[in-house]
Amino acid sequence: MTPWIPPTINLWEASISAKKDLVIEARNLTKVYKMGEVEVHALRGLSLEVQRGEVMSIMGPSGSGKSTLMNTLGCLDRPTSGEYYLDGESVAEMNDDQLADVRNRKVGFIFQTFNLLKRTSALANVELPLRYANRSENRGEIARQALEAVGLGDRLDHKPNELSGGQQQRVAIARALVNNPSFIMADEPTGNLDSKSGDEIMRMLLALNEERGVTLIIVTHDPEIAKRTRRVVTIRDGQIAEK
Amino acid sequence: MDYLNSLVVALESLMANKLRSALTVLGIVIGVAAVIAMLAVGRGAQSTITGTIEGIGTNLLFVMSGGSSDVTNPKPLTLADAQAMQDSFAAPSVIGVAPMMQGSGTVTAQGESTSTMLEAVTPQYGPVRNIELTEGEFISEAHVLSRSAVVILGPDVAKELFGRTDGVVGETVRIDGQPFRVIGLLVSKGGSGFTNEDNRVIVPLTTAQSRLLRRSTPNRVDMIIVQAASSEAVPQASEEIAAILRGRHRTGIGADDFTVFNQQDFLDTAAAVTGVLTIFLGGVAAISLLVGGIGIMNIMLVSVIERTREIGLRKALGARKRDIMIQFLAESSMLSLLGGILGIVLGWLISVAVGAVAAASNADITPVIGVDSVLLATLFSMAVGLFFGLYPANRAASLEPVEALRFE
Ligand SMILES: Nc1ncnc2c1ncn2[C@@H]1O[C@H](COP(=O)(O)OP(=O)(O)OP(=O)(O)O)[C@@H](O)[C@H]1O
Ligand SMILES: [Mg+2]
């Protein structure tokens, strides 16, 4: 785990030392949605670097391209142009199966709407990434440990509709963690929660970073949440806004 | 993801929608059950008919009047024709000739009455058809010459009239109002087949000609049964008989006014008829299986749309195209396989029920469920599940993860 580098350090030096352990290196990303005649430029030449162990929040007005960027970084979608290296590997050259593999092993997703499988126990939900990773050894045990880590050791057999919103999001966190990904991406993880459970979730995510060095990227509209992360990136009109 | 896992996942999602899965399965169950039952009944009918025909004996020939339609002056078969066939020079392969007439009549005795099949025969009918009696004696030459009013009862007729199947010799019955003395009782054949051999009475041919079955031509008979020396001699005997009749009826070759059947002809005709029947029944049933398959496709398509977000999520968590494909195919083939198994059981029950109904109404069809039709139904239903699951599965697998996740 690379220690956080204070902004006072010479930027050039910092970039040299940081390059050794970049999780995300994106250059000139563009994303164009074609809607019939109209072209929507969701990303306009955006570049971003994220170091291992970093906690970063992404802010910006609605429609500025935050989710588009998250989907691109999470390999759910391909950029229209630009380069993207995840753990030093070029994502642009990967085929669909390789992308599926990257999503499985390197990215942990946390969604605003939790996105758990209905009618499926918490344990089975957390096991899912392990299944797609073809890991058969002790799947149940690994999933159970992940649920214990988010404080749900006594809710293993509960279905999503038998859990509170905060608990569901914790199951989602356990699921994101279970394959030891290179980074966790959370798109408005507290958007559907009241302030108390939202606060709990934030504390849990930050604790995971402190204790395990998990790299975190959090999209949020809430300045209070942004304040709690060391790095805040603001996006405006598909580009990173200069301060 | 390994295959066992896919099966578990598929099973889980089927269990999550029990009612819908059950209704989908029902379509396949009905289709497969129909195929199994129809084929079984068709085969049952076939084997019953075949059995009946085989019971006739392999060395018999049946001569009937009527042949090709372009004969100018067709003549009926007569007793004289039958006598001519007994000429051992003209027909050396023939060892027995039994002319006969057939009809039906009402037999009464002691206030009881029953309608029955009437056979009018000569003494030779006994050995030719292997007639066995439990008591009394068969019709003799003297009976035929003197047009005696004597009758041999089938066991069902005796039971109907006298309530017993022994000691009826010497009783008097009335056939179409005329008194006949009972001289014998037939051995029971167990009443199988489409014509119940136990429900008939046998009278001398000449007696019937003058009193019961009057025909326009005197001495006319309905059929002449010819016994060949052996089953190998059947074609030879057939030729000899045809030559005799052509001479007597003065018809040229190719314009016969009679037809000679042997057992094989009957078997071939029956096989053709029941074969068409079986194919027809099976075809109708297969259509219902097809409809069941379309039901699967429909449900799977609905399921894919409904679970778009789930598919997107699975892809986000690392499912490959193949994983999704296998999951949906596993679901559809599980549905159809389950339907197939239940359908086989239901089809078997239906077959048994049909057999019971048929037995109750004296048409002794024993439905035959072959291993091949079970295999066919299982494989076919699996194929239906795979085929009709393929399109929905492919649609699910091809969804873009972002699009699928954004789907409302
Ligand atoms: N599938 C799509 N087809 C067409 N246009 C799209 C699509 N997805 C996003 N866009 C457009 O791209 C732009 C960026 O969208 P995006 O969802 O990234 O915004 P966002 O920053 O996440 O907004 P919010 O804060 O409201 O979630 C918007 O103008 C949006 O209309
Ligand atoms: Mg968004």
Side-chain angles (χ1 to χ4, degrees):
Chain A
M1 167 180 161
T2 314
W4 175 65
I5 301 145
T8 46
I9 282 186
N10 181 312
L11 274 176
W12 184 79
E13 251 181 36
S15 76
I16 290 292
S17 68
K19 264 218 169 78
K20 285 174 199 150
D21 210 3
L22 283 182
V23 179
I24 287 171
E25 187 179 5
R27 306 231 167 278
N28 268 322
L29 293 182
T30 70
K31 180 73 187 179
V32 181
Y33 292 109
K34 286 209 177 64
M35 317 246 327
E37 295 293 293
V38 189
E39 285 190 349
V40 179
H41 292 261
L43 296 179
R44 306 167 184 260
L46 186 148
S47 300
L48 182 71
E49 288 180 355
V50 180
Q51 293 165 34
R52 199 172 303 283
E54 214 175 353
V55 181
M56 181 181 99
S57 54
I58 299 179
M59 295 196 69
S62 190
S64 55
K66 304 184 294 294
S67 295
T68 306
L69 176 63
M70 291 296 265
N71 292 336
T72 310
L73 297 182
C75 300
L76 285 172
D77 208 357
R78 293 173 192 267
T80 308
S81 71
E83 294 165 62
Y84 174 29
Y85 298 91
L86 201 171
D87 276 344
E89 280 179 82
S90 174
V91 170
E93 283 140 35
M94 292 185 182
N95 64 27
D96 283 352
D97 279 357
Q98 287 169 318
L99 283 180
D101 229 44
V102 167
R103 290 194 291 267
N104 183 250
R105 287 166 208 275
K106 305 211 161 177
V107 190
F109 290 98
I110 297 172
F111 304 92
Q112 179 174 353
T113 51
F114 321 137
N115 271 341
L116 300 177
L117 287 187
K118 298 176 281 183
R119 303 193 189 91
T120 309
S121 72
L123 193 70
N125 263 292
V126 176
E127 263 185 56
L128 210 52
L130 296 171
R131 281 192 178 166
Y132 288 123
N134 261 334
R135 285 169 63 174
S136 48
E137 55 356 299
N138 295 331
R139 267 203 314 256
E141 182 55 26
I142 297 171
R144 198 178 56 78
Q145 280 170 11
L147 277 167
E148 271 167 7
V150 297
L152 287 177
D154 54 347
R155 296 283 194 278
L156 301 182
D157 293 326
H158 285 233
K159 311 262 163 69
N161 60 351
E162 298 160 353
L163 294 168
S164 74
Q167 287 171 332
Q168 289 185 52
Q169 195 61 302
R170 281 196 268 161
V171 174
I173 292 173
R175 184 180 63 190
L177 275 176
V178 78
N179 255 348
N180 284 322
S182 302
F183 63 95
I184 286 184
M185 293 203 333
D187 195 346
E188 302 188 38
T190 60
N192 275 20
L193 298 174
D194 61 73
S195 57
K196 185 167 160 289
S197 354
D199 188 57
E200 234 170 68
I201 292 297
M202 272 314 293
R203 247 188 290 157
M204 184 162 286
L205 287 173
L206 294 173
L208 284 169
N209 171 259
E210 298 273 309
E211 289 158 20
R212 305 191 183 192
V214 176
T215 312
L216 274 181
I217 306 175
I218 302 170
V219 170
T220 182
H221 283 287
D222 187 348
E224 292 300 314
I225 287 176
K227 261 187 216 158
R228 296 164 73 169
T229 63
R230 280 164 232 154
R231 183 177 168 198
V232 180
V233 170
T234 306
I235 294 188
R236 206 161 272 132
D237 235 354
Q239 280 172 319
I240 295 190
E242 302 300 335
K243 283 178 203 141
Chain B
M1 196 156 73
D2 54 277
Y3 293 94
L4 190 68
N5 255 322
S6 322
L7 290 183
V8 172
V9 169
L11 199 63
E12 278 167 1
S13 74
L14 290 181
M15 292 306 284
N17 260 313
K18 289 194 190 68
L19 181 64
R20 177 196 288 179
S21 305
L23 288 175
T24 313
V25 164
L26 195 62
I28 295 294
V29 169
I30 291 171
V32 171
V35 169
I36 294 274
M38 294 291 197
L39 290 182
V41 170
R43 291 223 187 130
Q46 195 161 4
S47 74
T48 305
I49 293 171
T50 311
T52 308
I53 295 170
E54 276 168 357
I56 294 170
T58 53
N59 61 341
L60 294 188
L61 291 158
F62 300 81
V63 188
M64 296 178 207
S65 58
S68 62
S69 51
D70 47 319
V71 182
T72 41
N73 186 16
K75 297 186 185 66
L77 292 170
T78 62
L79 264 179
D81 286 333
Q83 264 144 24
M85 290 176 196
Q86 275 166 322
D87 182 339
S88 57
F89 289 104
S93 310
V94 172
I95 60 168
V97 177
M100 69 174 297
M101 295 171 78
Q102 277 175 313
S104 61
T106 308
V107 190
T108 54
Q110 299 176 342
E112 300 289 336
S113 155
T114 180
S115 71
T116 179
M117 235 163 52
L118 193 64
E119 289 180 355
V121 306
T122 60
Q124 275 188 297
Y125 187 76
V128 165
R129 295 301 315 270
N130 288 322
I131 301 290
E132 287 172 287
L133 302 176
T134 51
E135 58 182 41
E137 56 183 25
F138 198 66
I139 288 157
S140 70
E141 206 61 55
H143 291 138
V144 174
L145 284 174
S146 60
R147 300 174 188 229
S148 307
V150 294
V151 65
I152 293 166
L153 299 184
D156 283 4
V157 180
K159 197 158 191 98
E160 199 69 37
L161 298 178
F162 302 105
R164 59 179 197 271
T165 49
D166 55 349
V168 295
V169 170
E171 301 274 2
T172 301
V173 299
R174 284 178 181 272
I175 304 174
D176 292 349
Q178 305 179 51
F180 280 75
R181 186 166 52 86
V182 178
I183 58 164
L185 186 63
L186 293 172
V187 167
S188 174
K189 294 254 175 103
S192 79
F194 292 101
T195 53
N196 183 355
E197 299 233 303
D198 287 357
N199 183 24
R200 58 172 169 169
V201 297
I202 302 175
V203 297
L205 183 64
T206 47
T207 316
Q209 278 176 333
S210 60
R211 297 210 218 161
L212 297 172
L213 305 166
R214 294 202 184 84
R215 303 282 197 255
S216 48
T217 318
N219 278 335
R220 181 190 167 143
V221 296
D222 294 341
M223 177 164 73
I224 301 170
I225 303 173
V226 175
Q227 186 174 25
S230 65
S231 48
E232 289 75 39
V234 162
Q236 180 60 35
S238 182
E239 276 311 307
E240 293 166 6
I241 294 162
I244 291 169
L245 287 178
R246 276 179 208 127
R248 292 179 55 82
H249 292 189
R250 300 183 193 287
T251 58
I253 289 176
D256 293 344
D257 58 359
F258 59 91
T259 312
V260 181
F261 295 101
N262 60 32
Q263 189 197 39
Q264 197 54 48
D265 296 330
F266 288 126
L267 282 178
D268 291 347
T269 311
V273 172
T274 55
V276 168
L277 183 79
T278 305
I279 289 171
F280 175 74
L281 292 178
V284 170
I287 289 172
S288 67
L289 191 52
L290 198 70
V291 173
I294 294 170
I296 286 195
M297 176 137 109
N298 186 24
I299 288 299
M300 295 306 292
L301 279 176
V302 170
S303 164
V304 167
I305 291 168
E306 237 185 32
R307 288 154 66 191
T308 303
R309 273 182 78 93
E310 177 194 324
I311 295 162
L313 174 70
R314 286 180 185 275
K315 287 201 154 185
L317 297 180
R320 296 167 177 217
K321 198 175 160 157
R322 210 189 49 203
D323 295 324
I324 304 290
M325 189 94 186
I326 289 173
Q327 180 190 338
F328 278 84
L329 280 184
E331 278 184 33
S332 63
S333 44
M334 235 186 251
L335 283 176
S336 60
L337 185 65
L338 184 65
I341 292 168
L342 292 179
I344 288 169
V345 174
L346 182 67
W348 177 75
L349 288 177
I350 291 175
S351 308
V352 170
V354 167
V357 169
S361 55
N362 256 332
D364 214 14
I365 301 178
T366 313
V368 186
I369 298 180
V371 179
D372 51 346
S373 61
V374 169
L375 271 180
L376 186 81
T378 314
L379 289 179
F380 197 38
S381 65
M382 277 290 276
V384 161
L386 283 177
F387 179 77
F388 287 105
L390 209 56
Y391 174 67
N394 190 47
R395 244 170 100 152
S398 307
L399 285 172
E400 284 297 327
V402 226
E403 303 293 327
L405 270 175
R406 200 179 280 133
F407 184 84
E408 289 304 328

